């Protein structure tokens, strides 16, 4: 990972244009080729970024990051305060808690939860950046990547989006659809998933375990 702290302005030219005026920011270049620009006023979301696959072209005072669609992230560097690289090694990934791991196991045993005719191909299908929880086939034989969370939030949608980008490059899999499955899905995560063509499925953990609810019902 390369971390550059610099005074810079940023221009994005693609499906829409965006401009960040000159300021001191953190530019992060990851091993997967992604480039993101961060400010010091938010927890995790960058001000602008370019997802892989993309190519970084460095010239004195200007970085150009171009993706396969020809969109460009142009970083104009006025002053560099720090430019440091670190070898982080292979990340083992997020260790799921007991409920989340069991939920994945139950959904693997009951893929029909996602729709009639769904079948499981395998659990923990490996991609270049980590394993997607479930790889399934729908009734028509299409590949479906399923990310399972106990609580569905925006970062989970982002994670599945990255998996789908990589999986859809595989000619043996593409096109790959996405399902974001969780006991509870936050409204913001649902909006983002829908915008990216990812289907959200709210799952009932107790029902999957074969447990009846305690509360009284009229029917």
């Amino acid at each position: 990972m390369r971390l550059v702290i610099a005074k810079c302005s940023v221009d994005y030219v693609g499906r829409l244009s965006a401009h960040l005026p000159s300021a001191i920011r953190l530019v992060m270049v990851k091993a997967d080729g992604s480039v993101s620009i961060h400010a010091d006023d938010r927890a995790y979301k960058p001000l602008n970024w370019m997802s892989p696959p993309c190519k970084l072209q460095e010239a004195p005072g200007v970085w150009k990051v171009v993706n396969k669609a020809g969109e460009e992230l142009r970083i104009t560097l006025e002053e560099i305060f720090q430019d440091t690289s670190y070898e982080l090694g292979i990340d083992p990934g997020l260790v799921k808690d007991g409920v989340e791991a069991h939920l994945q196991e139950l959904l693997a045993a009951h893929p029909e939860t996602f729709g009639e005719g769904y079948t499981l191909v395998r659990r923990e299908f490996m991609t270049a950046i980590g394993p997607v929880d479930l790889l399934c086939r729908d009734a028509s034989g299409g590949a479906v990547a399923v990310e399972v969370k106990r609580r569905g939030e925006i970062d989970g949608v982002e994670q599945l989006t990255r998996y789908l980008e990589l999986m859809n490059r595989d000619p043996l899999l593409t096109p790959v659809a996405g399902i974001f499955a969780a006991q509870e899905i936050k409204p913001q995560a649902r909006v983002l998933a829908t915008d990216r063509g990812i289907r959200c499925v709210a799952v009932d953990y107790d029902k999957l375990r074969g447990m009846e609810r305690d509360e009284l019902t009229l029917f």
Side-chain angles (χ1 to χ4, degrees):
M1 179 182 290
R2 183 179 178 186
L3 303 175
V4 178
I5 298 175
K7 185 176 183 181
C8 62
S9 59
V10 183
D11 291 279
Y12 182 88
V13 181
R15 288 168 291 182
L16 50 85
S17 297
H19 174 72
L20 294 173
S22 178
I24 297 175
R25 300 186 175 94
L26 168 66
V27 181
M28 183 182 299
V29 183
K30 292 188 177 181
D32 63 1
S34 63
V35 178
S36 55
I37 295 94
H38 298 260
D40 199 22
D41 66 343
R42 58 191 68 196
Y44 65 93
K45 188 174 181 180
L47 297 169
N48 215 325
W49 68 94
M50 188 71 81
S51 299
C54 56
K55 183 178 181 180
L56 172 59
Q57 304 168 356
E58 294 186 49
V62 180
W63 286 9
K64 293 182 180 179
V65 188
V66 183
N67 66 12
K68 61 181 180 180
E71 297 171 317
E72 181 180 308
L73 188 67
R74 183 177 302 173
I75 306 168
T76 302
L77 301 164
E78 300 172 31
E79 185 177 359
I80 296 176
F81 302 102
Q82 182 175 325
D83 186 346
T84 311
S85 295
Y86 301 91
E87 290 293 337
L88 301 185
I90 298 175
D91 192 275
L94 181 67
V95 178
K96 296 179 179 293
D97 65 28
V99 171
E100 196 168 302
H102 193 211
L103 187 60
Q104 180 192 127
E105 181 182 337
L106 289 167
L107 288 170
H110 301 282
E112 68 278 3
T113 301
F114 306 122
E116 186 177 351
Y118 271 70
T119 57
L120 176 71
V121 176
R122 66 169 298 170
R123 293 177 60 187
E124 301 289 340
F125 180 83
M126 186 57 65
T127 74
I129 58 172
V132 66
D133 291 330
L134 305 174
L135 176 62
C136 297
R137 294 281 182 184
D138 60 21
S140 62
V144 183
V146 183
E147 185 63 24
V148 180
K149 300 292 184 187
R150 185 163 59 91
R151 177 177 296 174
E153 299 187 9
I154 284 177
D155 56 350
V157 178
E158 296 281 9
Q159 182 181 1
L160 179 55
T161 299
R162 293 192 294 270
Y163 290 147
L164 289 170
E165 286 179 356
L166 289 170
M167 295 172 75
N168 272 302
R169 296 181 213 164
D170 187 339
L172 299 178
L173 289 176
T174 191
V176 185
I179 291 178
F180 189 51
Q183 287 179 269
E184 174 192 0
I185 301 176
K186 296 293 185 180
Q188 299 93 331
R190 190 178 292 274
V191 169
L192 181 61
T194 301
D195 181 68
R196 295 183 176 181
I198 295 171
R199 181 159 67 95
C200 291
V201 175
V203 294
D204 188 325
Y205 182 53
D206 289 339
K207 184 177 180 180
L208 281 172
R209 291 191 296 164
M211 296 177 62
E212 296 293 334
R213 294 186 177 274
D214 293 332
E215 61 262 27
L216 296 175
T217 58
L218 293 175
F219 303 99

